[in-house]
Amino acid sequence: MRTLKLKRAFLNFAAIKTWDMTVELNAFHLAILEGIPAELPRLKPYDPAINHAPKRKDILSPDEKKLALRNALRYFDPKHHQMLAPEFAEELQNYGRIYMYRFRPDYPISARSIEAFPHKSKQAAAIMLMLSNNLDHAVAQHPHELITYGGNGAVFQNWAQYLLTMQYLANMTDEQTLAMYSGHPMGLFPSHPDAPRVVVTNGMVIPNYSKPDDWERFNALGVSQYGQMTAGSFMYIGPQGIVHGTTITVLNAGRMKQHPDYNGGPKLFITAGLGGMSGAQPKAGNIAGVVSITAEVNAKAAYKRHEQGWVDEIVEDADQAIDLALAWQKRNTPHSIAYLGNVVDLWEKLAERQITVDMGSDQTSLHNPWAGGYYPAGLSYEEANILMATDPEQFKDWVRKSLVRQVDAINRLTANGMYFFDYGNAFLLESSRAGADIMNDKGLFNYPSYVQDIMGPMCFDYGFGPFRWVCTSSKPEDLALTDKIACEVLEEIAKTAPKEIRQQLNDNIHWIREAQKNKLVVGSQARILYADAEGRTKIAAAFNEAISIGEISAPVVLGRDHHDVSGTDSPYRETSNIYDGSAFTADMAIQNVIGDSFRGATWVSIHNGGGVGWGEVINGGFGMLLDGSAEADRRLRMMLHWDVNNGIARRSWARNEEAVFAIKRAMEQEPRLKVTLPNFADEKLIENLDL
Ligand SMILES: NC(=O)c1ccc[n+]([C@@H]2O[C@H](COP(=O)([O-])OP(=O)(O)OC[C@H]3O[C@@H](n4cnc5c(N)ncnc54)[C@H](O)[C@@H]3O)[C@@H](O)[C@H]2O)c1
């Protein structure tokens, strides 16, 4: 009798739950289809429990502020302007931007399964899933300000843009393309099924107007945004995206450089930043088998990573953090420690105590040094946030002095054998601009970028880069199956791979075998691994086949980090190992996005800024939906081949020998590929010329 009652209660509960879910789904559909609501939603209080973007600097003149308001109000029916104008003016005053907080939706934003999004086009639904993931509270750095990572990596500039975009995506067909200008959905334009469903441009400005303050001004006006790399292209997959790259970097840095006093145990790695991307460092350190200390000034960021299991413990005292690290080294056990404080204090303490540090780097957001990307030593986190808004010039002074101190301490440790590398955050660039002792007589940096030493010659020049995919069923079982398929494909390729790329393949086979165990998923059911054109194409084709026979239960989105072989022209990062003088050109990234768009990408993006800063880089990416169809198979083969070989061809033309090897091999594999090869001048001939 009791069992029967319990069973009935359970069935009732299940029915109520199903009913609740249906109601929630219907409300979600209605909200998406409504776009910007006809009636004003209730005003939402500023939630202090959320990690908010810092107040941006007050850069607009009174006339420009009026322009910003006119710009914001154009999204709304004039009957609401009376109410919204003062509200938006207050936001501009308080936060330096108009985010339109009132319009933040009530439903939770996350990577629901593809079928949960209202749609007429599967491709558009996949894009909704991906952009929702970028704004998920568990994933995004400042979700209420629509910032995914890097302090200013925006998906949209305001909530009206989000609402309109979702509405367009829900209504569009495969005969239309949505044009997006820095978060603003310009509209749906007629196109065709093979065309991208969405074309994204972020921060594209006339080159002479690409200084950091130009971004501040344009963004405050609501006419441009900093899309970072994968934030503005909806391809961010949480810190997993960078765990893999960081693991490869730390692993190879360790393989490559030995501290003179190295005595066998796990190496000691010191760095900073537990934010969006930098938060991957401690986990990558553990996977690479080192002991790491990562400094972080923002307690919210540190505790978020700790709760998510990305860092083993948090310590508030620099001496204690160092003692603990030494103890873990003695125990011969990889371990990750977060030091809650300023990294400059940590570096100075390490130098003062003459600790044997094997490897060092930094992943504070120095691409954005004046607006919350870098917190100077000597000020608390809160004090710094106030000063950067109230006295930006004085704040800049603090940042410069802090960088000088940081470099001095690092120099003392490298003199004692530490290997230091720039980790793609403009650390060397901004330190040199700050007047730190970081350049030699020839005007070159004293330290390499990780791309010059590691990522360029070992990966990008051979075509290996951060390929990724997302299972749109949002089911872990599908992800597990894709892991298995990808692993089998790589193992097969490794059997006949030339020795030049065997290490890369083996590192990635190891990675994918361990991926489940390392619990890397935050948000969407996503996976990343480094693969070349052959690997990416074969893995994608195998997924498509598995979807067509129903083995994988729903379509899969393919993509990659913009930080890749071909997608990014960035002289201080991705193309820092281009030495033929073309590092400051951006033809490769532009060619790439154009080429991807007519070879079958589901969406494409091209950005100014990303990684090292506004005006310092042009980067692009793509997303591609595999739905198990023959069309998807045709598109993936055409597009992935170009998406990798474009960059190898350019790297080969720059006389990078690894790339010459890779492009010759690609031409043997695909006779329709014909690439201009460089001749190498006799060095003696050049050196003996009297110039
Ligand atoms: N190498 C790569 O592949 C790669 C990839 C992505 C991002 N990046 C770059 O790395 C940087 C970090 O990216 P992110 O997404 O983690 O940014 P983020 O802003 O989310 O995180 C940076 C963190 O550094 C902390 N911080 C700033 N100054 C500090 C200081 N002096 N001491 C201690 N902590 C400090 C901040 O509080 C913040 O949490 C960016 O410049 C980004 O462009 C590099």
Side-chain angles (χ1 to χ4, degrees):
M1 187 63 186
R2 194 162 168 268
T3 328
L4 202 66
K5 263 192 189 159
L6 271 176
K7 203 170 164 190
R8 253 192 227 135
F10 176 75
L11 285 176
N12 278 344
F13 173 73
I16 291 167
K17 210 168 159 218
T18 313
W19 169 253
D20 280 353
M21 279 162 59
T22 314
V23 170
E24 200 267 336
L25 194 63
N26 284 342
F28 175 63
H29 278 212
L30 286 175
I32 297 283
L33 294 170
E34 189 182 15
I36 294 176
E39 292 310 318
L40 290 186
R42 71 186 162 80
L43 194 59
K44 295 186 174 61
Y46 188 81
D47 182 351
I50 294 286
N51 188 5
H52 287 283
K55 179 178 175 177
R56 307 298 185 188
K57 86 181 188 199
D58 184 16
I59 196 165
L60 301 184
S61 67
D63 276 348
E64 286 172 330
K65 285 182 179 162
K66 287 180 183 159
L67 183 57
L69 284 168
R70 274 184 217 107
N71 288 347
L73 290 173
R74 64 186 149 172
Y75 287 101
F76 305 96
D77 190 315
K79 73 178 180 194
H80 297 311
H81 288 188
Q82 194 72 24
M83 174 78 103
L84 293 178
E87 189 176 310
F88 290 170
E90 199 181 319
E91 284 192 16
L92 192 57
Q93 198 61 31
N94 289 348
Y95 313 114
R97 297 290 185 273
I98 302 173
Y99 297 113
M100 309 180 183
Y101 286 122
R102 177 194 284 272
F103 293 92
R104 199 159 45 74
D106 290 319
Y107 54 79
I109 303 181
S110 67
R112 301 156 189 250
S113 95
I114 191 166
E115 293 305 332
F117 293 93
H119 65 272
K120 293 177 184 157
S121 153
K122 264 263 158 30
Q123 296 189 356
I127 298 170
M128 295 166 95
L129 181 157
M130 296 294 288
L131 81 79
S132 300
N133 189 55
N134 277 28
L135 295 172
D136 184 335
H137 281 204
V139 176
Q141 185 187 15
H142 306 305
H144 288 188
E145 287 79 29
L146 303 116
I147 300 291
T148 300
Y149 72 91
N152 55 359
V155 190
F156 297 100
Q157 297 179 66
N158 57 55
W159 286 101
Q161 294 179 342
Y162 164 84
L163 294 174
L164 265 183
T165 302
M166 291 299 271
Q167 186 187 33
Y168 276 130
L169 289 168
N171 284 303
M172 77 185 292
T173 70
D174 286 346
E175 301 281 340
Q176 289 168 305
T177 292
L178 177 63
M180 295 199 58
Y181 286 39
S182 279
H184 171 68
M186 194 57 79
L188 294 174
F189 293 77
S191 65
H192 56 86
D194 265 349
R197 295 282 68 77
V198 177
V199 174
V200 172
T201 52
N202 277 311
M204 301 309 294
V205 294
I206 305 303
N208 263 350
Y209 301 87
S210 207
K211 294 276 179 290
D213 269 358
D214 294 319
W215 166 70
E216 294 278 0
R217 185 169 296 105
F218 299 143
N219 196 223
L221 285 172
V223 295
S224 192
Q225 75 175 4
Y226 192 80
Q228 270 284 8
M229 296 193 132
T230 51
S233 65
F234 324 140
M235 196 41 77
Y236 185 68
I237 56 167
Q240 177 186 181
I242 199 175
V243 172
H244 182 55
T246 312
T247 306
I248 289 189
T249 306
V250 176
L251 202 66
N252 284 310
R255 278 176 186 150
M256 216 171 51
K257 304 277 172 182
Q258 200 87 296
H259 191 286
D261 297 340
Y262 178 61
N263 59 8
K267 296 182 175 179
L268 180 59
F269 175 49
I270 305 296
T271 185
L274 287 172
M277 297 300 238
S278 49
Q281 297 178 103
K283 183 139 201 155
N286 280 4
I287 299 172
V290 303
V291 171
S292 64
I293 310 180
T294 309
E296 171 57 63
V297 282
N298 178 353
K300 273 187 188 147
Y303 282 102
K304 183 171 170 180
R305 291 294 170 229
H306 186 242
E307 276 159 26
Q308 290 173 340
W310 290 76
V311 62
D312 294 330
E313 63 182 312
I314 301 183
V315 176
E316 297 198 12
D317 178 81
D319 272 317
Q320 196 195 346
I322 296 168
D323 292 341
L324 274 169
L326 297 178
W328 282 100
Q329 280 188 295
K330 259 207 189 119
R331 262 183 254 166
N332 213 357
T333 309
H335 190 73
S336 57
I337 298 159
Y339 161 60
L340 191 53
N342 200 295
V343 73
V344 179
D345 298 329
L346 178 64
W347 281 121
E348 288 179 343
K349 191 59 81 179
L350 289 158
E352 182 192 308
R353 288 178 54 179
Q354 298 182 348
I355 301 292
T356 300
V357 179
D358 299 279
M359 293 170 278
S361 195
D362 183 282
Q363 242 188 21
T364 57
S365 275
L366 271 164
H367 70 274
N368 178 29
W370 318 129
Y374 180 86
Y375 286 84
L379 290 177
S380 72
Y381 180 68
E382 291 74 20
E383 286 166 343
N385 278 335
I386 293 169
L387 191 65
M388 74 181 78
T390 53
D391 192 343
E393 287 313 310
Q394 208 196 336
F395 181 74
K396 280 185 187 176
D397 237 41
W398 277 89
V399 168
R400 291 192 195 102
K401 284 188 186 131
S402 181
L403 282 170
V404 169
R405 274 174 60 184
Q406 185 168 340
V407 170
D408 280 348
I410 288 169
N411 286 347
R412 280 152 69 196
L413 287 155
T414 53
N416 185 35
M418 175 177 80
Y419 172 58
F420 184 85
F421 57 95
D422 181 290
Y423 205 176
N425 60 340
F427 176 78
L428 296 177
L429 184 65
E430 288 306 333
S431 299
S432 67
R433 287 174 178 165
D437 176 16
I438 205 150
M439 291 207 143
N440 63 21
D441 302 344
K442 291 184 179 161
L444 301 173
F445 294 132
N446 286 338
Y447 303 113
S449 120
Y450 72 114
V451 174
Q452 285 176 297
D453 264 14
I454 300 163
M455 205 52 92
M458 289 182 191
C459 296
F460 292 167
D461 287 352
Y462 287 118
F464 281 80
F467 180 59
R468 57 182 60 176
W469 63 89
V470 171
C471 297
T472 68
S473 64
S474 297
K475 290 183 184 158
E477 311 85 271
D478 274 340
L479 185 63
L481 190 56
T482 56
D483 284 347
K484 184 168 164 282
I485 293 172
C487 188
E488 285 165 5
V489 169
L490 291 186
E491 282 169 345
E492 193 55 38
I493 294 175
K495 283 182 193 163
T496 53
K499 66 174 184 340
E500 285 83 352
I501 58 169
R502 225 169 280 149
Q503 171 99 67
Q504 289 85 329
L505 282 162
N506 288 341
D507 281 349
N508 281 285
I509 290 168
H510 177 71
W511 162 266
I512 197 78
R513 281 194 194 131
E514 301 282 304
Q516 302 271 331
K517 205 174 78 193
N518 286 322
K519 295 194 175 49
L520 296 155
V521 169
V522 177
S524 59
Q525 292 296 320
R527 185 67 73 223
I528 183 168
L529 57 74
Y530 266 49
D532 60 2
E534 182 185 8
R536 299 183 204 204
T537 308
K538 287 185 172 165
I539 290 171
F543 288 172
N544 199 48
E545 169 71 19
I547 297 163
S548 78
I549 58 173
E551 207 182 338
I552 298 176
S553 75
V556 169
V557 170
L558 298 183
R560 59 164 171 75
D561 196 340
H562 295 198
H563 172 61
D564 194 14
V565 182
S566 316
T568 295
D569 276 300
S570 177
Y572 297 106
R573 205 166 85 176
E574 283 78 355
T575 41
S576 58
N577 74 325
I578 298 286
Y579 303 107
D580 70 347
S582 72
F584 291 88
T585 64
D587 297 301
M588 177 177 75
I590 298 296
Q591 286 279 348
N592 213 65
V593 73
I594 295 173
D596 282 358
S597 70
F598 66 78
R599 286 183 174 86
T602 307
W603 72 101
V604 288
S605 60
I606 186 83
H607 302 177
N608 167 21
V612 285
W614 177 262
E616 306 283 1
V617 45
I618 299 291
N619 65 92
F622 75 89
M624 174 178 263
L625 187 71
L626 301 180
D627 59 4
S629 65
E631 290 75 31
D633 186 73
R634 174 173 55 80
R635 289 184 195 131
L636 78 85
R637 289 177 194 281
M638 206 169 15
M639 203 214 74
L640 293 175
H641 185 265
W642 156 258
D643 189 62
V644 177
N645 282 303
N646 168 42
I648 301 180
R650 186 269 175 107
R651 289 166 184 278
S652 150
W653 185 238
R655 295 186 291 270
N656 290 8
E657 292 190 14
E658 293 83 359
V660 175
F661 166 85
I663 205 71
K664 282 186 180 164
R665 191 163 167 256
M667 285 195 276
E668 279 162 24
Q669 289 169 334
E670 167 52 272
R672 289 178 302 166
L673 178 69
K674 306 273 182 217
V675 170
T676 315
L677 293 173
N679 292 299
F680 286 72
D682 181 343
E683 274 310 302
K684 273 199 221 120
L685 176 72
I686 302 287
E687 290 304 325
N688 288 339
L689 289 176
D690 193 14
L691 297 172

